[in-house]
């Protein structure tokens, strides 16, 4: 069997953690930052866990991670 390619877009967005879950960056941090509070922008910096409903799709897109 040939190797399965990793989806490059998924590899840029997700990273698998040691317990099998995925971490991902948060949205709403790219533009229109003036009206968002400092606390909100600071909390958007840290990575979030991928929702459990999306883990199976991420695992298919990144078979060897």
């Amino acid at each position: 069997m040939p190797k399965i390619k990793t989806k490059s877009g998924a590899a840029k967005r997700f990273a698998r953690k040691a317990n099998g879950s995925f971490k991902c960056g948060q949205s709403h941090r790219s533009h229109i930052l003036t009206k968002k509070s400092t606390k909100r922008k600071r909390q958007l910096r840290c990575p979030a866990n991928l929702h459990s409903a999306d883990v199976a799709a991420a695992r298919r897109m990144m078979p060897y991670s």
Side-chain angles (χ1 to χ4, degrees):
M1 282 303 279
K3 293 182 185 176
I4 303 170
K5 283 190 175 181
T6 296
K7 300 286 185 188
S8 61
K12 294 170 192 174
R13 287 167 174 80
F14 310 127
R16 187 178 290 215
K17 292 167 53 173
N19 63 2
S21 64
F22 286 87
K23 65 179 180 178
C24 58
Q26 298 196 41
S27 58
H28 308 289
R29 184 78 170 97
S30 57
H31 63 95
I32 313 176
L33 297 173
T34 54
K35 64 174 72 170
K36 295 172 185 150
S37 68
T38 308
K39 177 182 178 180
R40 183 175 167 193
K41 290 185 282 190
R42 183 177 64 245
Q43 289 176 340
L44 287 172
R45 272 187 227 144
C46 51
N49 288 330
L50 196 62
H51 194 272
S52 58
D54 301 322
V55 170
R59 197 171 285 140
R60 277 195 305 270
M61 290 188 279
M62 300 173 60
Y64 301 111
S65 65

